[in-house]
Amino acid sequence: MTNGNNSGRNLRRMFVSIVGIVGLISAFCGCARMGQPDGGWYDETPPRVVGSTPDDKGTNVTNSKITIHFNEFIKIDNPTENVVVSPPQLEVPEIKATGKKIVVELIDSLKPNTTYTIDFSDAISDNNEGNPLGNYTYSFSTGEQIDTMEVSGYVIEAKTLEPVKGIMVGLYPANGSEYLDENSDSQWNDSIFRTRPFLRVSRTDSRGHFVIKGIANGSYRIFALKDVDGNYCYTQKNEMVAFNHDIIVPSSKPDVRHDTIWTDTLHIRSITPVNYTHFLPDDIVLKGFEQELTDRFFLKAERKTAPFFQLFFTYGHDSLPEIRGLNFNEKDAFIVEPSQKKDTITYWLRDSSLVNQDTLYMELKYYITDSLGALVLTTDSQEILSKDPYEKRMKKIADEEKELKKKLEKALKKGEEVDSSQYAVKKKPLEPKWAIPGKMTPENNLLVTFDTPILEPDTSTIHLYSMIDSVWYKSPYKFFKREDIPRTYELRGEWKPGLEYSLETDSLAFTNIYGLQSNPFKQGFKVGSMDEFSSLIFTFEGMTDKDIVAMLVDKGDNVVKKVKADKGVAEFYYLNAGTYYIRMFIDENHNGMWDTGDYDLDLQPEKVYYYPKEIECKEKWDLSLSWNPESTPTMNQKPGVLVKQKGEKKKATIKSRNVDRAREKGIEYIEGVTGVKL
């Protein structure tokens, strides 16, 4: 019995030991599960492809349904935007992530002897921690061989050098061989871009970067297109486009890169050389622009308020519309204000009786573009209704009179002495809007703007004084209408550094076309002394023969001052202390404005450059700088602080979480190694 009892006790001890070991194993495994609050390790391993049907990089493929298998549950982020299939598919492919696989079904018929690439970028990640697979591309060929060449680069906006996100970049054969008729002897037909889809295609990321993969050996031309209608060719004039005449010849070479492994966010564990195939060219830069829409169409007529109506066109014309009134006399009926581009024309009604007429019937004659692209004179009739009708305005006045009458009666009941004129509805005075800088410089001038057109002002009612030795003296000035800004006048004085000035206008100095008059006005201001300003002389090396417009901009890329360079030298005077940047463009047509490109005319947009460094201006400083804009690669020019389209951070593994967890445990975490080093 004793031996039997001992045997039983031994069996029980063994059972308890086994249970304990199992419990320890279970506890350890529990710690290994991701996100455990008890201090286990996080899952930082990205998903891995374990197979596919058809095989990745397979040849002679005839199946348009692709299944890619992974070692764990995965998800795919916004496949419509993030996954690019090349050659481009006119019918949108079906892309789904289910469990541990991704299924892609190409709806378009497969082309013979063609390499297909499905570029997932970094859209694939595991379903738990979101660890990204990284830049992953699946490819196959319908022919005997698979094409593996790549080209890459960037797309930026021509006007601002901003990265362009989500724009298509595609290739055509340089000789157009796949698109030309057998009898054609043309090497390249510019209509191909307008009529045929890209041969190979990619899409830019948030940094404006693109990689076109699966390219065969050969020569190509490259284009970028913001494809509005999804047909992979340039058919809409409002689509952003980029083109050049460079011939792209893909090539490759063996190369070595150095991969950095980090211990944590601050410390490098090792730098490892890695052999790889370097595809060229990898520095293509395309400058995107939107072509100016020159087709002229009538958009609408609108009368937001009673005193004026507006005519809107898609494009301007030097010949303004002719108006014939059908229920009013159009002779001398308007003050006409065309916009700078003459695509919007504002008509102010001179006569108050016409203002009070809610509906204006008129016949319009104006130029529009016909189906052949030519401008033709057309005639139509318009019925223009006021959105603020006479009856509504009169009711508002009546309600105001009624309210004032109640207040008057209430005051009389209380026995108060009242001035009945104070309880009458008064016309609002004309309010000139003076723009007086907070800190005047000798280069500044004063602007005054009105909400309605005014009669010719009497300059004898406008007074400018300057204080010299504590005595106010009359100061000379010129007052004139600005033709480039509607209802705006400029007062130009002889502004002397350090002096105080006073601007004063008499009562009734300004009268608008409806008889409203202004109240008296007075405001003092001071011009800064020379010691408060800085100056900058900027020389653009190698560009003495160029017509340059240079702009000093702030951290928001807003223009602070704009000058025309003289023989490559731009001079900026009376600058307030601060940080500035330089943007400039080559004014090819000498009109003082940046002009966009035109694909049909083979016209590139005017070249824009940014000085890559910030410029610090201080009081009493005279700064001279020089720079050759052609010496700095375009992609390295625009200072990072000015870039509005910031590159999105790639999805990354949470390396620092396990490092931090190990630090809490007082141990060292070794990435990629099971367990830890004590």
Side-chain angles (χ1 to χ4, degrees):
M1 284 296 292
T2 303
N3 290 337
N5 290 336
N6 288 337
S7 298
R9 281 195 294 269
N10 290 335
L11 287 172
R12 282 194 295 271
R13 288 193 191 104
M14 185 180 299
F15 177 76
V16 170
S17 299
I18 292 172
V19 170
I21 292 169
V22 171
L24 288 171
I25 292 172
S26 298
F28 178 80
C29 292
C31 289
R33 288 195 298 269
M34 63 102 188
Q36 289 294 316
D38 55 1
W41 303 114
Y42 292 97
D43 174 17
E44 295 183 354
T45 305
R48 180 167 49 86
V49 176
V50 294
S52 62
T53 306
D55 291 338
D56 190 7
K57 297 180 175 56
T59 56
N60 295 314
V61 172
T62 58
N63 188 2
S64 59
K65 184 175 183 180
I66 300 102
T67 304
I68 305 170
H69 300 277
F70 297 85
N71 66 331
E72 60 179 312
F73 290 99
I74 52 92
K75 58 186 177 182
I76 183 166
D77 180 34
N78 196 357
T80 303
E81 284 191 12
N82 294 328
V83 180
V84 178
V85 179
S86 191
Q89 305 291 291
L90 297 179
E91 291 288 336
V92 179
E94 295 180 1
I95 304 173
K96 297 178 181 178
T98 307
K100 296 183 179 181
K101 65 182 179 181
I102 289 177
V103 178
V104 179
E105 188 161 1
L106 305 180
I107 310 302
D108 288 358
S109 299
L110 296 180
K111 299 178 180 180
N113 301 313
T114 300
T115 294
Y116 282 77
T117 58
I118 305 173
D119 188 353
F120 292 92
S121 185
D122 61 352
I124 300 171
S125 59
D126 67 40
N127 201 46
N128 292 326
E129 288 282 9
N131 299 306
L133 173 60
N135 291 322
Y136 173 63
T137 301
Y138 169 90
S139 61
F140 67 88
S141 174
T142 57
E144 294 287 343
Q145 63 181 28
I146 190 162
D147 301 319
T148 59
M149 287 294 179
E150 301 178 6
V151 298
S152 59
Y154 294 85
V155 181
I156 56 177
E157 289 184 12
K159 186 176 183 180
T160 63
L161 306 193
E162 280 283 311
V164 181
K165 177 184 177 182
I167 192 170
M168 285 286 178
V169 185
L171 297 176
Y172 290 102
N175 61 7
S177 59
E178 295 198 15
Y179 300 116
L180 297 176
D181 296 333
E182 291 182 3
N183 298 326
S184 174
D185 58 0
S186 173
Q187 291 300 302
W188 172 262
N189 186 338
D190 286 328
S191 66
I192 292 175
F193 185 33
R194 287 196 173 279
T195 57
R196 303 297 182 93
F198 290 124
L199 184 69
R200 310 294 306 175
V201 71
S202 179
R203 187 186 286 120
T204 58
D205 62 16
S206 60
R207 299 173 298 133
H209 186 253
F210 68 88
V211 181
I212 305 177
K213 301 180 180 180
I215 307 172
N217 291 319
S219 300
Y220 300 89
R221 285 189 62 180
I222 190 166
F223 297 80
L225 176 67
K226 186 75 83 170
D227 192 18
V228 175
D229 48 10
N231 62 357
Y232 300 97
C233 49
Y234 184 35
T235 53
Q236 304 290 333
K237 283 189 176 182
N238 62 337
E239 294 175 324
M240 178 181 279
V241 64
F243 71 97
N244 58 42
H245 293 284
D246 296 345
I247 302 299
I248 306 298
V249 181
S251 64
S252 65
K253 65 177 183 177
D255 210 335
V256 178
R257 67 169 184 263
H258 292 84
D259 287 356
T260 303
I261 299 176
W262 295 83
T263 300
D264 52 36
T265 55
L266 298 176
H267 302 91
I268 295 174
R269 180 181 297 278
S270 63
I271 300 177
T272 306
V274 177
N275 295 317
Y276 76 105
T277 301
H278 189 162
F279 293 100
L280 298 168
D282 59 357
D283 57 355
I284 300 168
V285 177
L286 295 169
K287 297 179 181 180
F289 64 90
E290 292 178 2
Q291 189 167 318
E292 190 171 13
L293 300 178
T294 57
D295 290 346
R296 179 175 167 85
F297 301 103
F298 178 67
L299 294 175
K300 64 177 179 178
E302 189 174 56
R303 190 179 175 190
K304 291 182 179 180
T305 62
F308 69 88
F309 66 90
Q310 293 174 296
L311 303 179
F312 297 88
F313 294 85
T314 56
Y315 193 74
H317 193 275
D318 288 336
S319 177
L320 299 181
E322 296 179 16
I323 295 179
R324 184 171 72 87
L326 300 180
N327 66 340
F328 66 94
N329 184 357
E330 77 282 355
K331 187 176 181 181
D332 296 325
F334 315 118
I335 291 177
V336 183
E337 288 179 355
S339 63
Q340 190 171 10
K341 292 185 176 181
K342 297 182 180 178
D343 53 0
T344 301
I345 304 101
T346 302
Y347 296 84
W348 289 90
L349 307 175
R350 293 177 179 270
D351 194 334
S352 58
S353 63
L354 202 54
V355 172
N356 293 332
Q357 188 170 319
D358 289 341
T359 305
L360 301 176
Y361 296 99
M362 63 187 72
E363 180 185 86
L364 298 178
K365 286 186 178 181
Y366 51 84
Y367 284 96
I368 63 168
T369 304
D370 66 9
S371 58
L372 299 177
L375 284 172
V376 295
L377 190 64
T378 188
T379 303
D380 73 3
S381 298
Q382 289 291 325
E383 176 185 355
I384 305 178
L385 280 70
S386 173
K387 293 184 178 181
D388 186 20
Y390 176 76
E391 185 177 342
K392 181 180 177 181
R393 300 198 308 276
M394 291 303 100
K395 184 178 184 304
K396 184 178 179 180
I397 294 173
D399 290 344
E400 190 176 349
E401 288 176 341
K402 189 176 180 180
E403 187 64 28
L404 289 171
K405 185 177 179 181
K406 286 181 180 179
K407 290 181 179 180
L408 175 60
E409 290 174 350
K410 189 174 181 180
L412 291 172
K413 284 182 180 180
K414 290 182 178 180
E416 298 175 0
E417 291 186 10
V418 297
D419 180 359
S420 58
S421 65
Q422 297 297 317
Y423 293 89
V425 175
K426 299 180 180 63
K427 288 185 177 180
K428 291 183 179 180
L430 180 66
E431 296 183 1
K433 297 175 181 177
W434 287 95
I436 301 178
K439 186 177 181 181
M440 281 283 289
T441 78
E443 289 184 331
N444 287 138
N445 287 304
L446 308 184
L447 297 180
V448 58
T449 303
F450 300 88
D451 289 334
T452 54
I454 64 169
L455 303 176
E456 188 66 27
D458 180 3
T459 55
S460 67
T461 63
I462 304 172
H463 314 283
L464 183 66
Y465 302 98
S466 59
M467 181 182 283
I468 303 175
D469 296 331
S470 302
V471 179
W472 288 104
Y473 294 91
K474 278 193 172 182
S475 187
Y477 69 87
K478 289 183 179 180
F479 190 78
F480 55 93
K481 186 175 182 181
R482 289 283 296 265
E483 298 301 328
D484 56 333
I485 311 175
R487 303 178 304 284
T488 300
Y489 292 76
E490 181 174 329
L491 189 148
R492 184 174 295 172
E494 295 180 354
W495 314 116
K496 296 181 179 180
L499 288 190
E500 289 186 42
Y501 290 82
S502 178
L503 173 66
E504 302 176 17
T505 63
D506 298 341
S507 180
L508 316 182
F510 304 107
T511 303
N512 75 359
I513 59 174
Y514 305 118
L516 294 181
Q517 296 178 313
S518 61
N519 288 329
F521 173 83
K522 181 177 181 179
Q523 183 169 335
F525 54 93
K526 184 178 180 179
V527 177
S529 67
M530 292 299 293
D531 288 345
E532 297 178 55
F533 300 113
S534 174
S535 65
L536 170 65
I537 309 299
F538 201 97
T539 302
F540 298 97
E541 297 174 357
M543 293 194 166
T544 56
D545 60 337
K546 303 290 186 183
D547 196 348
I548 295 173
V549 175
M551 291 157 283
L552 201 67
V553 300
D554 60 18
K555 291 183 179 179
D557 210 9
N558 304 302
V559 177
V560 175
K561 190 166 287 191
K562 176 180 174 181
V563 301
K564 186 175 180 179
D566 181 17
K567 296 181 180 179
V569 179
E571 300 177 344
F572 300 95
Y573 295 108
Y574 306 114
L575 301 177
N576 292 319
T579 302
Y580 300 98
Y581 304 85
I582 290 283
R583 180 172 89 229
M584 57 82 81
F585 66 89
I586 308 297
D587 190 13
E588 298 287 357
N589 59 359
H590 319 296
N591 66 353
M593 300 184 298
W594 180 85
D595 291 288
T596 188
D598 190 312
Y599 178 74
D600 294 325
L601 299 178
D602 194 22
L603 185 66
Q604 291 289 336
E606 290 178 331
K607 290 183 178 180
V608 173
Y609 301 86
Y610 277 83
Y611 180 57
K613 301 176 183 178
E614 67 178 30
I615 301 170
E616 192 68 32
C617 291
K618 299 181 180 180
E619 294 180 355
K620 303 182 185 180
W621 274 31
D622 295 322
L623 190 61
S624 294
L625 295 172
S626 62
W627 173 60
N628 183 348
E630 300 289 354
S631 67
T632 307
T634 304
M635 289 305 301
N636 299 337
Q637 287 190 9
K638 190 168 187 177
V641 69
L642 301 184
V643 177
K644 296 180 175 63
Q645 173 58 52
K646 303 296 184 183
E648 298 170 1
K649 291 182 179 179
K650 295 282 186 182
K651 298 175 185 176
T653 56
I654 5 174
K655 296 178 181 177
S656 61
R657 295 175 66 182
N658 277 338
V659 172
D660 293 341
R661 178 60 54 83
R663 198 173 287 128
E664 292 171 4
K665 294 173 175 288
I667 55 181
E668 181 185 2
Y669 177 76
I670 303 176
E671 182 189 351
V673 178
T674 303
V676 293
K677 180 180 177 181
L678 297 176

